[in-house]
Amino acid sequence: MLENILRIAISAILINNFVLSRFMGICPFLGVSKKTSTAAGMGMAVTFVMTMAGTITWLINKYILVAFNMQYMKTIVFIFVIAALVQFVEMALQKYSPSLYSALGIYLPLITTNCAVLGAVLLAIDTYNYGLVETIVFNFCAAIGFTLAIILLSGVRERLETAKIPKFMQGFPIVLVSAALISIAFLGFAGM
């Protein structure tokens, strides 16, 4: 059991990283990675939402949707759960950390449509058929992988601000090249 949990964790964080390998969650990855503090805040928000969404949707799926033969409602119910969790995070950040709330801007409510969150939930339930513990570990570690990727890119972007970059590569082109290089670096974990 512990070996399986460790395999799931390493796979979700490094090998099958949702941003760098599956290319899910690219919008906040590119949009919120200008500053490390903002990237870390987004990472924490996604970690909370993804972990809670995985737990709640697994329970809803097992004890309501499957029990009442309503699996066709899975996607809409899961999106509703994710939207409710994002709304909770948004209200909490607005009250307890207004600076982070305004720094995240439009990207905070976009967690609702972040395909990495819905993708992790659906993969855990439909593709991998994980139990509750495995689902929680998978979703939490997938969010940690997202956080790792966005913080790495934000560190590179902060460093690029002081670097001499050719005019044609300044701005978004160098960000895309940097993201691609980070993604290539993560391919090294594929052999694990």
Side-chain angles (χ1 to χ4, degrees):
M1 174 81 170
L2 186 59
E3 182 180 312
N4 189 37
I5 297 292
L6 188 59
R7 181 188 55 78
I8 291 169
I10 290 172
S11 175
I13 295 170
L14 300 173
I15 301 167
N16 295 313
N17 185 291
F18 271 79
V19 176
L20 301 173
S21 295
R22 297 180 189 267
F23 306 111
M24 296 176 143
I26 297 293
C27 181
F29 174 68
L30 295 173
V32 185
S33 60
K34 290 179 183 173
K35 295 169 96 178
T36 304
S37 59
T38 309
M42 176 58 87
M44 287 187 290
V46 168
T47 301
F48 174 80
V49 170
M50 199 178 282
T51 305
M52 292 305 297
T55 306
I56 293 168
T57 55
W58 189 92
L59 293 169
I60 289 172
N61 185 61
K62 172 115 175 147
Y63 295 110
I64 297 174
L65 298 179
V66 171
F68 293 104
N69 198 25
M70 295 173 41
Q71 292 94 330
Y72 61 90
M73 294 289 293
K74 190 180 298 184
T75 305
I76 193 86
V77 170
F78 290 2
I79 290 172
F80 177 73
V81 168
I82 293 166
L85 288 168
V86 170
Q87 188 63 38
F88 173 76
V89 168
E90 200 171 356
M91 289 186 309
L93 283 179
Q94 190 173 17
K95 183 173 183 173
Y96 298 111
S97 182
S99 60
L100 180 59
Y101 174 78
S102 44
L104 291 175
I106 188 66
Y107 293 101
L108 186 58
L110 283 179
I111 296 174
T112 303
T113 59
N114 185 341
C115 60
V117 178
L118 183 60
V121 166
L122 290 173
L123 277 171
I125 292 172
D126 287 341
T127 305
Y128 300 136
N129 293 318
Y130 286 148
L132 180 59
V133 173
E134 289 100 348
T135 298
I136 293 169
V137 169
F138 175 72
N139 280 277
F140 176 75
C141 290
I144 294 300
F146 174 88
T147 304
L148 175 65
I150 197 170
I151 288 175
L152 283 173
L153 183 63
S154 68
V156 170
R157 286 181 78 172
E158 285 180 354
R159 180 85 166 100
L160 287 173
E161 287 181 13
T162 60
K164 290 184 180 181
I165 300 169
K167 182 82 172 153
F168 71 95
M169 286 297 289
Q170 290 178 357
F172 207 62
I174 195 67
V175 172
L176 291 175
V177 169
S178 300
L181 291 173
I182 293 171
S183 182
I184 289 170
F186 269 68
L187 280 176
F189 295 113
M192 289 178 71

